[in-house]
Amino acid sequence: MSLCVALAATVLTIPTTTFSLSWEHSVEKVEWREEWAMTSSGLQLRQASVKGSGAGMEPGEGAVLEDGWWRWTPTLAPLSEIRLAASGETPGGWQLCHETGCLILGRQAGEDSVISPCTPASVP
């Protein structure tokens, strides 16, 4: 399986079945992290973590505080895609990491991205 990341006029293909997304909250200025896996049902959020809480950043149900991070297992159904709309208000954009490296998405306003499992139609 591969992950496809659509950026403007480009589609990146990343050979991975797991990845993480992290970003700094635009108001609270603390980091949020999510661990994702590709399954036969779609993209499954496996774990979420936030370094603090505040405006729109309340830890999820069952969250446990570990080493300064609130960690929990979300109960979100699998998604066919993740859309990252870049407002320019999130400092530095999103960091997407996988087995072989990391890349920054949506650093500037308007640099929207779509993350999805690759299909024959999505690979250029």
Side-chain angles (χ1 to χ4, degrees), residues 6-7 13 23 27 29-30 33 35 41 50 52 57 66 72 74 78 81 88 93 96 99-101 107 111 114 119-120:
L7 313 163
T13 302
W23 64 94
V27 175
K29 307 297 186 219
V30 296
R33 293 180 186 164
E35 302 297 325
S41 300
V50 63
M57 297 186 56
E66 298 174 351
W72 68 100
E81 64 183 21
L96 184 149
E99 288 94 348
T100 59
R107 191 182 308 262
E111 291 180 347
V114 179
T119 63

Side-chain angles (χ1 to χ4, degrees), residues 54-117:
M57 297 186 56
E58 295 74 23
E61 186 175 332
V64 175
L65 185 61
E66 298 174 351
D67 299 321
W69 288 86
W70 286 101
R71 300 182 198 283
W72 68 100
T73 302
T75 56
L76 182 68
L79 303 173
S80 60
E81 64 183 21
I82 301 167
R83 291 187 167 270
L84 302 175
S87 66
E89 297 301 317
T90 303
W94 293 272
Q95 183 175 41
L96 184 149
C97 293
H98 50 89
E99 288 94 348
T100 59
C102 298
L103 61 135
I104 302 296
L105 305 172
R107 191 182 308 262
Q108 301 294 321
E111 291 180 347
D112 300 351
S113 307
V114 179
I115 301 168
S116 63

Side-chain angles (χ1 to χ4, degrees), residues 4-5 9-13 118-124:
C4 279
V5 181
T10 304
V11 176
L12 303 176
T13 302
C118 292
T119 63
S122 62
V123 180

Side-chain angles (χ1 to χ4, degrees), residues 3-63:
L3 186 68
C4 279
V5 181
L7 313 163
T10 304
V11 176
L12 303 176
T13 302
I14 301 169
T16 189
T17 57
T18 61
F19 63 97
S20 66
L21 284 174
S22 62
W23 64 94
E24 186 176 299
H25 189 274
S26 62
V27 175
E28 298 295 333
K29 307 297 186 219
V30 296
E31 190 176 356
W32 186 288
R33 293 180 186 164
E34 296 177 342
E35 302 297 325
W36 291 84
M38 285 193 293
T39 69
S40 59
S41 300
L43 300 173
Q44 181 69 56
L45 179 56
R46 297 282 171 94
Q47 183 178 44
S49 306
V50 63
K51 188 129 180 136
S53 62
M57 297 186 56
E58 295 74 23
E61 186 175 332

